[in-house]
Amino acid sequence: MLMNELVKGTSAVVESVGDVCVDDVIAQRLRDLGFVSGEVVRLIARSPLGGEPLLVQVGSTRFALRCNEAKRVRVRMQEAA
């Protein structure tokens, strides 16, 4: 699934960040910020009415992302501990 499809409050594990075009600077910036394979992410909040931006947490850092940015991140649901 894609990160923008997460339900508020859920955690997932990053599988990959996809490039939309050659030399996708947004995808590279997401990887530089910590959206890398195996990293746990959590959707903290969405703007009212399910809009943008999304508030996403990676490690102890929170980021506001647009939906088109979050669509670049492929995740899998985190298994229960």
Side-chain angles (χ1 to χ4, degrees), residues 10-81:
T10 59
S11 295
V13 178
V14 174
E15 290 185 332
S16 63
V17 176
D19 294 287
V20 174
C21 59
V22 177
D23 297 326
D24 187 341
V25 294
I26 294 173
Q28 184 57 50
R29 183 69 176 143
L30 290 169
R31 288 187 285 268
D32 292 345
L33 291 171
F35 292 88
V36 294
S37 181
E39 193 66 40
V40 176
V41 297
R42 182 175 176 167
L43 180 62
I44 303 297
R46 290 179 179 270
S47 286
L49 304 175
E52 300 185 73
L54 308 175
L55 180 59
V56 179
Q57 184 168 332
V58 177
S60 61
T61 307
R62 292 182 176 187
F63 300 96
L65 300 178
R66 295 181 186 105
C67 284
N68 68 349
E69 295 164 342
K71 286 179 182 178
R72 288 173 166 83
V73 183
R74 179 160 296 282
V75 298
R76 69 178 183 280
M77 295 306 292
Q78 188 174 22
E79 297 178 14

